[in-house]
Amino acid sequence: MGLLRSFWSSARCFSCLRWLAYTCRLVFILFVLPATGVAREPVLSADERASVELGRALFFDKALSADGKVACVTCHRPEVAFSSGESIPRGVFGRVGTRNVPSLLGLEKQGALFWDGRRATLEELVLDPLTTPVEHGFSDMEQVLPIVRARHSPGFARAFPGEGITPATVARALAAYVRSLVGGPSRLERHLAGQADALSASERRGLALFSGRAACSRCHPLVEEAHSDGDFHPGEVATPASLSQLAAIARSTARMSPEARRAAVSTRSEVAALGRFIVTLRPADIGRFRTPSLRNVALTAPYMHDGSIPTLAEAVERELYYRTEGGPRVGDLTPSEREDLVAFLHSMTSSTFATVPAGAASAPSTFLNRSSR
């Protein structure tokens, strides 16, 4: 009863739905994960597996780009948790965009999508790169569909019989594949589930700092699977000069149509710097970006929305400096404490990544194995 009273007291700090989500997550960590040691692969029906396999074929197909050299996997590489491993990756004809590429693992659980939250569903998100000039480079989906029909008609007939090849079915196939990308439990999850030796001494000290004095968990709650609050927070402190420039850019951007703003985000760094403002047009959202997931963060360097921070240690120091809101500054933590924080972040790496390969519907998943103590 005392535990229930404690839960009820804590629940007053959250909305009912958010508290329910937290509770379910804790139950999963404490009671489900101990029985599992591999990636949490979704259980798929034959029809769902056909959609996933088709989506994978599309994901790896370089023909679905204006120069025939770029596929989704070009910027979402499995070996780095389906991120790019670059500050800002190059798309068709060597063109460079404006934003760092986050991991696709568990993406749907992160709520609003893209750094500025401009898309709400995976089906919306997956088509954008195809018609972005600096990514796949097509002007519209009418250029994409003939290529898809020529190369993937049998797959669409299996996955979507009688529906044809349309932007909607292309989106559903790609989204199905992205949803299938799952990670096995991290050492942090094993620790939270009660495995005494899952974390090193340094990592345990880092966990205490993360949840306590360093206050990282305010924006990266560990009870959320993505270790993100899904909210939008300001970046570095702006100078008066940069504020003036951003204000002028914001005024001109606000006069654009929504689709023109979306296109400008990918091609104009000054527009990309506006962050959440692109969606809401609220001045208070200028320079705000979605809290990134920390799952597999040790694999997804470089960091921040613009890929400007090359290492995890530098990312920790930057966060301590800019996102304090009265909390500790970099100098308030000793070098060894900052090392413990970085060590702890490594414990969030998934033990395996599961992907569903092309082939027969009954084909088993393949795994990218990660070392796990």
Side-chain angles (χ1 to χ4, degrees):
M1 290 299 294
L3 182 60
L4 289 175
R5 283 196 295 270
S6 175
F7 273 15
W8 175 248
S9 176
S10 299
R12 294 173 184 172
C13 301
F14 302 90
S15 70
C16 291
L17 288 177
R18 188 169 179 80
W19 179 248
L20 178 62
Y22 277 22
T23 304
C24 291
R25 175 67 177 151
L26 284 172
V27 169
F28 178 81
I29 288 173
L30 294 174
F31 299 106
V32 177
L33 279 179
T36 67
V38 298
R40 300 183 290 274
E41 180 187 359
V43 177
L44 303 176
S45 67
D47 289 343
E48 290 170 331
R49 188 169 290 271
S51 297
V52 169
E53 291 169 351
L54 172 60
R56 184 187 187 278
L58 296 172
F59 191 89
F60 282 81
D61 190 354
K62 292 184 178 181
L64 301 183
S65 63
D67 66 356
K69 297 180 180 179
V70 172
C72 302
V73 73
T74 304
C75 297
H76 294 284
R77 295 160 45 206
E79 64 269 25
V80 285
F82 291 88
S83 65
S84 74
E86 302 174 90
S87 295
I88 300 173
R90 294 182 179 273
V92 292
F93 307 111
R95 296 169 183 164
V96 180
T98 60
R99 295 254 176 96
N100 181 251
V101 175
S103 169
L104 293 181
L105 291 176
L107 189 62
E108 189 175 41
K109 300 182 186 304
Q110 298 178 37
L113 303 172
F114 288 116
W115 283 100
D116 50 28
R118 65 183 182 271
R119 295 301 192 197
T121 69
L122 285 180
E123 283 76 9
E124 293 175 319
L125 176 143
V126 294
L127 293 186
D128 279 358
L130 293 171
T131 57
T132 297
V134 297
E135 295 184 54
H136 291 244
F138 293 110
S139 60
D140 54 44
M141 286 300 295
E142 293 307 310
Q143 288 188 325
V144 179
L145 295 180
I147 303 173
V148 175
R149 291 189 184 103
R151 297 175 62 82
H152 299 283
S153 287
F156 276 88
R158 288 191 297 271
F160 307 111
E163 296 188 51
I165 298 176
T166 68
T169 52
V170 171
R172 285 161 57 192
L174 282 168
Y177 176 65
V178 173
R179 287 190 181 95
S180 79
L181 303 176
V182 294
S186 65
R187 288 187 294 107
L188 170 61
E189 288 175 310
R190 296 180 187 280
H191 170 80
L192 295 175
Q195 183 178 328
D197 62 348
L199 300 184
S200 69
S202 174
E203 290 166 342
R204 291 195 297 273
R205 292 192 299 268
L207 169 58
L209 286 166
F210 186 96
S211 302
R213 188 155 57 92
C216 308
S217 59
R218 290 185 304 187
C219 298
H220 295 283
L222 297 180
V223 289
E224 295 285 7
E225 187 164 358
H227 308 322
S228 166
D229 62 3
D231 206 350
F232 297 85
H233 298 280
E236 64 270 14
V237 177
T239 65
S242 64
L243 282 174
S244 176
Q245 293 170 350
L246 281 175
I249 296 165
R251 285 193 294 270
S252 64
T253 302
R255 292 192 289 267
M256 298 178 182
S257 69
E259 286 308 303
R261 289 198 300 272
R262 180 187 73 80
V265 166
S266 300
T267 57
R268 296 173 55 187
S269 58
E270 70 274 18
V271 174
L274 295 174
R276 180 66 171 164
F277 175 83
I278 294 296
V279 179
T280 67
L281 300 183
R282 294 175 59 246
D285 286 332
I286 292 176
R288 287 181 176 268
F289 296 90
R290 181 174 57 80
T291 305
S293 170
L294 290 187
R295 286 194 66 88
N296 299 296
V297 66
L299 303 177
T300 59
Y303 303 100
M304 308 305 161
H305 67 278
D306 57 359
S308 59
I309 308 299
T311 69
L312 194 52
E314 290 171 285
V316 166
E317 296 206 355
R318 182 189 185 281
E319 291 299 290
L320 288 172
Y321 185 81
Y322 282 119
R323 304 198 195 281
T324 57
E325 298 180 6
R329 292 280 183 173
V330 173
D332 296 333
L333 298 182
T334 67
S336 63
E337 286 175 325
R338 298 200 294 275
E339 289 174 2
D340 289 340
L341 268 179
V342 172
F344 168 65
L345 292 174
H346 279 261
S347 75
M348 297 180 179
T349 302
S350 295
S351 54
T352 54
F353 305 149
T355 65
V356 180
S362 60
S365 292
T366 58
F367 294 88
L368 293 175
N369 292 302
R370 293 285 169 190
S371 60
S372 180
R373 296 191 306 110

